[in-house]
Amino acid sequence: MHTLFTRGNAILAYTLSVSACLTFCCFLSTVFIDYRANATLNTVKVVVKNVPDYSASREKNDLGYLTFDLQTDLTPLFNWNVKQLFLYLTAEYQTENNDFNQVILWDKIVLRGDKAALDFKNMNTKYYFWDDGNGLRGNKNVTLTLSWNIIPNAGLLPSVNAHGSHTFAFPREYTSLRV
């Protein structure tokens, strides 16, 4: 006759196999969904300052300040397999020193059940917009893009870019005002 441990092991192995199969089926039911949405971005105020970098070099670097508007409806992205969205706003630009610069300026977590239709006006950035030199002043091709990571219950962690971006220019002169 089988011992209690043998029977317990068989039940546990069968339960784990069924759970793994169901989890894989749940993953397959949402893996091919297009998680892109439209986003409208706009800059309200754009200023650049030349401030000392408080590292060992003590050189002056550009620090950009901007406020932005953001409108998007992320409600259709939520289904039974999406726990939350991690939104982030990036600025991409080119300088003489670097062909490709990418800076995260703002982020937000939207949980399932939260209001996912976002309409932000005159928002400040959450993180500093530093450049490792003087590449922001007069830069005419800075592009803001909204992206998000989908945190699922089961499956992949896709990174998705929104439809729509906004390109703006920094002023040619540094500001001396407090921002």
Side-chain angles (χ1 to χ4, degrees):
M1 202 43 60
H2 297 292
T3 65
L4 182 66
F5 292 117
T6 305
R7 291 178 185 191
N9 184 28
I11 291 171
L12 180 64
Y14 180 72
T15 304
L16 289 176
S17 298
V18 169
S19 296
C21 182
L22 288 175
T23 302
F24 184 71
C25 290
C26 292
F27 158 70
L28 282 179
S29 71
T30 59
V31 71
F32 298 110
I33 295 175
D34 185 15
Y35 285 107
R36 289 180 289 185
N38 293 325
T40 304
L41 297 161
N42 189 27
T43 50
V44 179
K45 177 180 169 186
V46 178
V47 176
V48 65
K49 293 179 82 170
N50 194 256
V51 296
D53 182 10
Y54 293 103
S55 63
S57 65
R58 297 284 186 189
E59 296 177 7
K60 285 192 164 192
N61 293 333
D62 286 354
L63 177 61
Y65 291 96
L66 62 101
T67 57
F68 62 94
D69 295 339
L70 168 66
Q71 292 87 30
T72 187
D73 185 11
L74 303 174
T75 307
L77 302 182
F78 283 95
N79 57 44
W80 66 269
N81 196 27
V82 176
K83 284 196 283 190
Q84 67 184 24
L85 299 174
F86 177 73
L87 309 174
Y88 54 97
L89 181 70
T90 57
E92 298 174 357
Y93 61 101
Q94 184 177 357
T95 62
E96 291 180 12
N97 297 339
N98 301 308
D99 288 336
F100 182 71
N101 297 288
Q102 189 174 40
V103 180
I104 294 179
L105 300 176
W106 175 85
D107 63 19
K108 180 176 178 53
I109 294 174
V110 179
L111 300 173
R112 182 186 1 211
D114 288 353
K115 182 183 173 202
L118 306 177
D119 188 15
F120 296 130
K121 301 283 186 205
N122 207 19
M123 288 284 295
N124 291 318
T125 58
K126 193 172 183 181
Y127 306 108
Y128 289 116
F129 193 166
W130 280 102
D131 183 62
D132 63 346
N134 300 326
L136 294 182
R137 181 183 66 168
N139 194 325
K140 295 182 183 345
N141 197 16
V142 181
T143 303
L144 293 178
T145 307
L146 182 69
S147 304
W148 50 83
N149 293 104
I150 296 172
I151 313 300
N153 291 313
L156 304 173
L157 292 162
S159 182
V160 181
N161 291 332
H163 290 295
S165 61
H166 174 67
T167 302
F168 68 96
F170 276 104
R172 291 191 151 297
E173 299 298 322
Y174 292 122
T175 185
S176 59
L177 302 174
R178 290 190 64 132
V179 181

